[in-house]
Amino acid sequence: MVPALLTDLYELTMVDAYLAEGLHEEAAFSLFVRRLPARRNFLMACGLEQALTYLETLRFSPGELAWLESLGRFSRQLIDWLEHFHFSGDVHAVPEGTPVFGQEPLLEVVAPLPEAQLVETYLINQVHLQTLAASKAARVVEAARGRPVVDFGVRRMHGEDAGLKVARAAHVAGVSATSNLQAAQRYGIPVAGTLAHSYIQAHDDELAAFRAYVHRFPETTLLVDTYDTLEGVRKVVALARELGPDFRVQAVRLDSGDLASLAHQTRALLDAAGLERVRIFASGGLDEDEVARLLSHQAPIDAFGVGTAMGVSEDAPALDMAYKLVEYAGRGRLKLSPGKVLLPGRKQVFREERDGVAFRDVLACHDEVLPGRPLLRQVMHAGRRLEGASPPLAALRMHAREELTRLPLEVRGLEPARPPHPVDVSPALSAAKEQVVTGLRERLAAH
Amino acid sequence: MVPALLTDLYELTMVDAYLAEGLHEEAAFSLFVRRLPARRNFLMACGLEQALTYLETLRFSPGELAWLESLGRFSRQLIDWLEHFHFSGDVHAVPEGTPVFGQEPLLEVVAPLPEAQLVETYLINQVHLQTLAASKAARVVEAARGRPVVDFGVRRMHGEDAGLKVARAAHVAGVSATSNLQAAQRYGIPVAGTLAHSYIQAHDDELAAFRAYVHRFPETTLLVDTYDTLEGVRKVVALARELGPDFRVQAVRLDSGDLASLAHQTRALLDAAGLERVRIFASGGLDEDEVARLLSHQAPIDAFGVGTAMGVSEDAPALDMAYKLVEYAGRGRLKLSPGKVLLPGRKQVFREERDGVAFRDVLACHDEVLPGRPLLRQVMHAGRRLEGASPPLAALRMHAREELTRLPLEVRGLEPARPPHPVDVSPALSAAKEQVVTGLRERLAAH
C-alpha cells in the first residue's frame, strides 16, 4: 500500500480550498528539472513505474482519514472527497532510461485540478530519487568502459526505500548487480558480494580465513587488504598452491590504498603464479572520476564495487525538480518568480538526430508535429496504466543502453560538454508563452 | 515489520561461514564515523530508536527464507539458523541528540559473532541517515538564531523512508515543524504549511486567490512571489483593508528573488499599512549559510522554511560511517588498511567540561574510569531494550538542545573551529592498540 500521508500539508489545504471554490476543471502539471547539476550533461529519467503504481493505488484508509480529521484543519468536504478518492487522470511520460535535459518534462499529469494537485509530493519524491540515482549511475557505468559495476551502496543510502529504489535505478542505468538482497528479491536484480574485513579479523590468521571461506564458497572473491594488500595477495597465491585444482577463487578485491599501483602489482603477482584467470575487483570510496582515473592509468581492474558516492549521488544529491501547473481550464498558466520561470501548456519534446546521434532537442506544445523523435508517450488513461507502459526491468535497461548510444560522445562523457546539448523552444511554444506573459502583465497592471 | 532482506549479501555469506566454522563466540562491533565531513565541527547522534526496534523485531519470514534458499548459495545450516533467529545481544549507545566527533562510537553491539555481523547493513543504513540529517539540521537551527525552522524537504528527500526519518531527526535537532503529514502522524511532530504557486496560478487573479484561500484558512501564510513579490505584498495589504477585523493572516511567504532586500521592503510595506503583526516567512533554496547571510543583513525574517539542502544534507550527503569488529573471543581486533585504521576493543567516550562547556573528549577502553562525562550507556540487554533507552521525542529534543549549549560556541558555529574539538585516546586504549598491532605484525611476519 502506498503511504497516502507521505505528502505536504499544503497539498491537502489547497485541495480543500479548490473543493470549496469548485475549482475542479482539468489541469495539467509538468514534472521536470529546471537546470542540470554542475558537471552533468544529461539526466536519465527513472521512477515512472512507481509513479504509476502510486496513481493507481492511492487510497486513504479510515485510520488516515480519522487522523486527518483530528487535526481540526480540514473541511468535512475534503475528508469525504479523500474517502472516495481514486485518481482518474491521464499521464504522458518519457520512458524510464531515457536521457533528458533541463526544462524537459519527465512526466505530465492531466486531471481535475484537485486530483492532479494532491499527488505532487509523492510523485516528485519517487521520480526525483530514481532519476537522481540513474543519472549518477550512468556516469559510473560510462567511466567503467564496459567493466561490470556492482552497487555496494545500501548501507549509506538514505533509508530503506532509497536502498531499494536506488538499486533499481542503478540497474536500469547499466549497473550489473547489487549487494542488496531486498532489491534483488523485489526487482530480480543479480546479487553479488564478497566478504568483509570483520570475517578476516575474526580469524587469528588471514590465510586461515581465506582457507575457511573458500571451503564454504569456492568461487568467491577474496578481500586482501585487511592488513597488507600485497601480503594478502601472496596468501591467495599460497592458497592456490595448497588447493591445486580445487582452487576456484574468481577474483581478489582491493578495498583501500593506491588502487592503481596495487592493481598493477597484484596482477603481476597473480600472473607470476600462473593465476592469470583470477580477476581483480576494486572498491573503496570509488566514484566515476576515480574509476576513470584508474582506467586512464591502465590499472588492470576487471570490475568495480561502487558504494556511497553512487548511492547518494554525492556530487549532486538533489535535482532542481519541480511539478508545476502549466494549464488550467484550457488556458496556459505560468509564474514569473525570478529563476523559476515556466513554459505554459502541455508539452512534447522532439529529439532531432543525424546518423542516429542526437544533435538537439526541441521543447514544443503537446500537439505540435516537428522533426525528430517525440519522447513523451501516453502511459495512463483515466487512472489506468496503458499496455506497454511498464516494460520489464531488462527492457528498460536495454532501452537505457540504446538511448545512451544515441547521445554524442561528448554529452555521454564525464566532463561538461561545450556547448551543452541544445534544448530549443519551438516558435509555437515561445508564442504561447509570450501570450500568457502579456495577459498576466495586463492583469497585474490593471490592479 | 522490519525488512529482513535489506542487507548486503555478504552479511549472509559471512554468517554462513561463521556457522560452518563454529565461530560463535562473543564479538563487539563499533559503529562510528571515521572523519567529520569538511566544514563540520560535530555530528549529532540520531537513529538509535530505529536501531533498537530493528534488533528487537528482526525475524525472517517463511517467504524470505524460501527465496534465500532458492538462490542456491546458502547452507541448510544458515537457513535453519535464520529461521530461529532473534537477536540476543547487548547494545551500548550514545543517546540520540548527543554531539559526537570522529572515531567516537555512536553505538556498540556485543553479541555472538554471527548475530552481531548479520545486523550490520541495516544498523548503518538507519543510524547513518538520521545522524546525517540531525547533524545538518542542527546547523540550520543554529543559523536561524532562535527563529523557527520548518522542514519542507520531503519531496526531494531520498524516498519514503528518508521522508519520515529525516523529519524525525531534524525535529530532534531543533527544527520546529514539518510539512510532511506522515512524519507528523507517526512521530507527533507539529505540522506546518502555507500554499503553493499552483493555487495562485489556477486563479485568474492573485488577489482573488488570496481572498479565496483566506476565506477557507483565515490564519494562513500567503505566498506572495508568484508574479511579483512586492505587488503580492500590496495585494495582501489590499486584502487586509477589505477584510478589516476579519483579516487574520499570520504571515507572508517570500520564496524567490533577493530575500534580504525583499524582506526589508516587505516589512516596510506591511508596517506602513499597520500590519506590524503580520510576520515574514522565507523559503526557497535555503541552507544554513543562506539563513546566516540573511540574518547578518538584518533581514526582518521571522521564520524559515528549509527544504532540499537540509533534507538531503546537500554539502555532505553521506558520512564515513562504519560498523567494525573491534573484539572477538575476548581479544581486541583491528585492521591496518590505509586510512581505515581501527582502535581495538569496546570503548567509552569521556567528555571533559569546564564551567559546563566541553573542552575535550577522550576515547577510552570501555571499563576505564576517567575524568569527564561518559557518553555511552547500556540501552539493550539480551536483545531487550532497557528502561529509559527510548525517551519520547520531546525529551530527545530537549537533550539535544541542552547538549548543544555544552559545546563551545566555536564548535557549534558554522565555520570550521580552529583548532577542532580535541578527541584524545586514553593511554590504556593506546597501549591496547599497540599490543594488537604488534601481535598482528608478528603473525604477518611469521608467514
Side-chain angles (χ1 to χ4, degrees):
Chain A
M1 217 173 70
V2 300
L5 293 181
L6 191 75
T7 188
D8 286 296
L9 170 67
Y10 80 1
E11 311 293 4
L12 293 191
T13 54
M14 284 192 293
V15 172
D16 198 337
Y18 292 146
L19 296 175
E21 296 168 59
L23 295 176
H24 40 54
E25 288 193 65
E26 190 174 88
F29 280 79
S30 190
L31 190 152
F32 62 100
V33 174
R34 292 191 186 97
R35 277 169 298 273
L36 300 186
R39 279 196 76 217
R40 299 294 188 92
N41 293 323
F42 68 93
L43 298 173
M44 179 171 278
C46 204
L48 177 61
E49 169 71 32
Q50 283 67 34
L52 295 177
T53 299
Y54 174 74
L55 294 174
E56 282 182 336
T57 59
L58 175 61
R59 301 287 183 276
F60 287 80
S61 72
E64 287 163 338
L65 292 169
W67 181 77
L68 287 173
E69 212 169 355
S70 77
L71 294 177
R73 293 169 174 263
F74 303 117
S75 69
R76 184 71 243 162
Q77 188 180 17
L78 177 72
I79 303 292
D80 288 346
W81 185 85
L82 293 175
E83 188 178 348
H84 299 101
F85 176 84
H86 68 102
F87 180 76
S88 72
D90 294 354
V91 177
H92 301 254
V94 159
E96 294 189 85
T98 307
V100 294
F101 300 90
Q103 298 292 332
E104 297 184 348
L106 280 75
L107 69 83
E108 294 196 323
V109 169
V110 181
L113 179 59
E115 292 185 33
Q117 180 78 65
L118 180 67
V119 299
E120 172 180 27
T121 303
Y122 190 87
L123 288 187
I124 298 179
N125 176 276
Q126 291 290 300
V127 176
H128 175 266
L129 174 62
Q130 288 202 54
T131 298
L132 181 76
S135 303
K136 178 69 169 180
R139 288 171 64 82
V140 178
V141 170
E142 176 75 19
R145 301 194 214 149
R147 289 163 189 79
V149 174
V150 180
D151 155 37
F152 276 0
V154 59
R155 64 187 56 195
R156 297 208 193 105
M157 289 176 191
H158 290 189
E160 300 175 11
D161 194 36
L164 263 180
K165 308 281 171 67
V166 171
R168 177 185 186 273
H171 191 57
V172 168
V175 167
S176 302
T178 181
S179 65
N180 178 351
L181 282 165
Q182 194 188 25
Q185 184 200 34
R186 182 78 64 96
Y187 301 119
I189 304 170
V191 65
T194 66
L195 73 167
H197 293 112
S198 49
Y199 182 84
I200 312 289
Q201 293 170 266
H203 290 76
D204 286 332
D205 174 89
E206 194 177 24
L207 179 55
F210 289 166
R211 193 182 286 124
Y213 204 74
V214 162
H215 181 71
R216 177 67 200 87
F217 298 101
E219 300 184 351
T220 194
T221 294
L222 290 174
L223 176 67
V224 292
D225 77 322
T226 305
Y227 303 119
D228 176 301
T229 299
L230 298 178
E231 283 304 314
V233 175
R234 288 190 190 99
K235 281 170 188 158
V236 173
V237 169
L239 186 65
R241 292 208 184 102
E242 185 179 308
L243 293 181
D246 289 338
F247 180 82
R248 288 186 279 149
V249 167
Q250 296 287 307
V252 296
R253 173 177 163 212
L254 316 178
D255 188 52
S256 56
D258 177 348
L259 293 174
S261 157
L262 288 171
H264 281 291
Q265 297 176 76
T266 298
R267 187 73 271 156
L269 286 172
L270 291 172
D271 290 354
L275 296 173
E276 291 86 358
R277 58 157 198 79
V278 174
R279 306 203 301 159
I280 297 178
F281 185 94
S283 60
L286 298 180
D287 63 10
E288 66 270 39
D289 294 319
E290 184 58 13
V291 167
R293 197 190 65 79
L294 288 169
L295 294 182
S296 77
H297 285 74
Q298 276 77 48
I301 295 170
D302 302 289
F304 296 94
V306 184
T308 304
M310 187 167 77
V312 305
S313 185
E314 197 157 27
D315 67 313
L319 303 172
D320 189 12
M321 184 177 278
Y323 175 87
K324 288 294 172 185
L325 180 69
V326 291
E327 191 174 301
Y328 178 62
R331 277 224 336 261
R333 306 278 166 160
L334 44 69
K335 57 189 191 123
L336 304 172
S337 320
K340 299 181 175 177
V341 174
L342 280 175
L343 292 164
R346 293 171 47 201
K347 318 237 171 24
Q348 183 52 277
V349 180
F350 293 95
R351 181 153 296 163
E352 297 187 29
E353 293 171 339
R354 194 179 290 132
D355 302 329
V357 177
F359 65 90
R360 76 158 183 167
D361 285 8
V362 179
L363 268 169
C365 301
H366 77 106
D367 50 4
E368 283 189 86
V369 177
L370 294 178
R373 195 156 54 97
L375 298 187
L376 288 148
R377 307 173 192 169
Q378 185 163 2
V379 290
M380 176 172 274
H381 174 64
R384 301 298 295 264
R385 83 180 74 191
L386 299 177
E387 182 94 18
S390 294
L393 209 56
L396 296 177
R397 196 171 148 78
M398 208 173 318
H399 173 73
R401 197 182 320 181
E402 156 80 9
E403 287 283 333
L404 286 171
T405 64
R406 295 168 86 156
L407 292 183
L409 275 180
E410 217 205 358
V411 174
R412 279 167 63 183
L414 303 188
E415 296 307 318
R418 309 259 183 246
H421 184 72
V423 179
D424 296 328
V425 177
S426 78
L429 181 53
S430 290
K433 181 186 170 187
E434 285 316 306
Q435 197 190 346
V436 178
V437 170
T438 305
L440 278 171
R441 295 217 189 279
E442 281 167 5
R443 281 209 303 287
L444 284 170
H447 290 279
Chain B
M1 218 173 69
V2 300
L5 293 181
L6 192 76
T7 188
D8 288 295
L9 171 66
Y10 81 2
E11 311 293 4
L12 293 191
T13 53
M14 284 192 293
V15 172
D16 199 336
Y18 292 147
L19 296 175
E21 296 167 61
L23 294 177
H24 40 54
E25 288 192 65
E26 190 174 87
F29 280 78
S30 189
L31 190 152
F32 63 100
V33 174
R34 290 191 187 97
R35 277 169 298 272
L36 300 185
R39 280 195 77 215
R40 299 295 187 91
N41 292 324
F42 68 92
L43 298 172
M44 179 172 278
C46 202
L48 176 62
E49 168 71 31
Q50 283 66 35
L52 295 178
T53 299
Y54 174 74
L55 294 174
E56 282 181 336
T57 60
L58 175 60
R59 301 287 183 275
F60 287 80
S61 73
E64 287 164 337
L65 292 169
W67 180 77
L68 286 173
E69 211 169 356
S70 77
L71 294 176
R73 293 170 173 262
F74 303 118
S75 69
R76 184 70 245 162
Q77 188 181 15
L78 177 72
I79 304 293
D80 288 346
W81 186 84
L82 292 175
E83 188 177 348
H84 299 102
F85 176 83
H86 68 100
F87 180 77
S88 72
D90 294 354
V91 177
H92 301 255
V94 159
E96 295 189 86
T98 307
V100 294
F101 300 89
Q103 297 292 332
E104 297 184 349
L106 280 76
L107 69 82
E108 294 196 324
V109 169
V110 181
L113 179 59
E115 292 185 33
Q117 180 79 63
L118 180 68
V119 299
E120 172 180 27
T121 304
Y122 190 88
L123 287 188
I124 298 179
N125 176 277
Q126 292 290 301
V127 176
H128 176 266
L129 173 62
Q130 288 202 56
T131 298
L132 182 75
S135 303
K136 178 69 168 180
R139 289 171 65 82
V140 178
V141 169
E142 176 75 17
R145 300 193 215 151
R147 290 163 189 78
V149 174
V150 180
D151 154 36
F152 275 0
V154 59
R155 64 187 58 195
R156 298 209 192 103
M157 289 175 191
H158 291 189
E160 300 176 10
D161 194 37
L164 263 180
K165 307 281 172 66
V166 172
R168 177 185 186 273
H171 192 57
V172 168
V175 167
S176 301
T178 181
S179 65
N180 178 352
L181 281 165
Q182 194 188 23
Q185 184 199 34
R186 183 78 63 94
Y187 302 119
I189 304 171
V191 66
T194 67
L195 74 168
H197 294 110
S198 49
Y199 182 84
I200 311 288
Q201 294 170 267
H203 290 77
D204 286 332
D205 175 88
E206 193 176 25
L207 180 54
F210 290 167
R211 193 183 286 122
Y213 204 75
V214 162
H215 181 72
R216 177 66 199 87
F217 298 102
E219 299 184 352
T220 192
T221 294
L222 290 173
L223 177 67
V224 292
D225 76 322
T226 305
Y227 304 119
D228 177 302
T229 300
L230 298 178
E231 282 305 315
V233 175
R234 288 189 189 100
K235 283 171 186 157
V236 174
V237 169
L239 185 66
R241 294 209 182 100
E242 188 179 306
L243 293 181
D246 290 337
F247 180 82
R248 287 186 279 149
V249 167
Q250 297 287 307
V252 295
R253 172 176 162 213
L254 316 178
D255 188 51
S256 56
D258 178 347
L259 294 173
S261 156
L262 288 170
H264 281 292
Q265 295 175 76
T266 297
R267 187 74 271 157
L269 286 172
L270 292 172
D271 290 353
L275 296 173
E276 292 86 357
R277 58 157 197 79
V278 174
R279 306 203 301 161
I280 297 178
F281 184 95
S283 60
L286 298 180
D287 63 10
E288 67 270 39
D289 293 319
E290 184 59 12
V291 167
R293 198 190 66 79
L294 289 167
L295 295 181
S296 76
H297 286 73
Q298 276 77 48
I301 295 170
D302 302 290
F304 296 94
V306 183
T308 303
M310 187 167 77
V312 305
S313 186
E314 198 157 26
D315 66 312
L319 302 173
D320 190 12
M321 185 178 278
Y323 175 86
K324 289 292 172 187
L325 180 70
V326 291
E327 190 174 299
Y328 178 63
R331 277 227 333 264
R333 307 278 165 159
L334 43 70
K335 57 191 192 122
L336 305 172
S337 320
K340 298 182 174 177
V341 173
L342 281 175
L343 292 164
R346 294 171 48 202
K347 319 236 169 25
Q348 182 53 277
V349 180
F350 292 94
R351 181 153 295 163
E352 297 186 29
E353 293 172 330
R354 194 179 292 130
D355 302 330
V357 176
F359 64 91
R360 77 159 183 165
D361 285 8
V362 179
L363 269 169
C365 300
H366 77 104
D367 49 4
E368 284 189 85
V369 178
L370 294 179
R373 194 155 55 96
L375 299 186
L376 287 148
R377 306 174 192 169
Q378 185 163 4
V379 289
M380 177 173 274
H381 174 64
R384 301 299 293 265
R385 82 180 75 192
L386 299 177
E387 182 96 19
S390 294
L393 209 56
L396 295 177
R397 197 170 148 77
M398 208 172 317
H399 173 71
R401 197 183 320 181
E402 155 80 7
E403 287 284 332
L404 286 171
T405 65
R406 295 168 86 156
L407 292 183
L409 275 180
E410 217 206 356
V411 174
R412 280 167 62 181
L414 303 188
E415 297 306 319
R418 309 256 183 248
H421 184 72
V423 178
D424 296 328
V425 176
S426 77
L429 181 53
S430 290
K433 181 186 168 186
E434 284 316 306
Q435 196 190 349
V436 178
V437 170
T438 304
L440 278 170
R441 294 213 191 280
E442 281 168 5
R443 281 207 303 286
L444 284 170
H447 290 281

